[in-house]
Amino acid sequence: MFATYVTLTIVAAFFSGSAAVTYLIGHDYPKAQAEMKRLPQSWVPRLGATLAAGSLGLLAGFAVPVVGTLAAAGLVLYFTGALIAHLRVGSRQLVGWAVFFVTMVATLVVNVAYHW
């Protein structure tokens, strides 16, 4: 169980951290996604900061388990919001979202099972 917990946490932190970097450096992909979902461009850095906080929170969870659990729950909520944003504009390009969402849900489940 410990190996699963560590592996999933690191993978989830990598996924959310690398997504945060693309949002924070001003890459074209997040800007295009925000435009497609009709979100203001001013939200892009805020969304990136939220992903970065989630990534750091997952890693901090190795030292303070409740922080990791809360970070995983926050990332599940983040990607639930992303699904709503996709569906709101009729987008059916959900493969990338599904990979992130399933990873975050699995991380939350394993985190809760391991620590509580």
Side-chain angles (χ1 to χ4, degrees), residues 9 12-14 16-17 20 47-61 67-68 70-75 78 104 107:
T9 300
F14 175 77
S16 59
L47 293 171
T50 303
L51 287 167
S55 181
L56 293 173
L58 288 174
L59 296 175
V67 172
L70 291 173
L75 286 166
Y78 177 94
M104 300 311 158
T107 302

Side-chain angles (χ1 to χ4, degrees), residues 25-100:
I25 65 171
H27 194 272
D28 290 337
Y29 181 75
K31 291 178 183 177
Q33 287 294 306
E35 185 176 319
M36 183 265 296
K37 294 172 190 136
R38 291 180 276 182
L39 298 173
Q41 290 296 315
S42 63
W43 284 24
V44 173
R46 293 177 186 143
L47 293 171
T50 303
L51 287 167
S55 181
L56 293 173
L58 288 174
L59 296 175
F62 288 127
V64 183
V66 71
V67 172
T69 303
L70 291 173
L75 286 166
V76 168
L77 291 174
Y78 177 94
F79 287 106
T80 300
L83 174 64
I84 292 167
H86 272 277
L87 296 178
R88 183 175 59 92
V89 297
S91 170
R92 300 293 183 253
Q93 300 172 354
L94 299 174
V95 173
W97 167 83
V99 170
F100 277 82

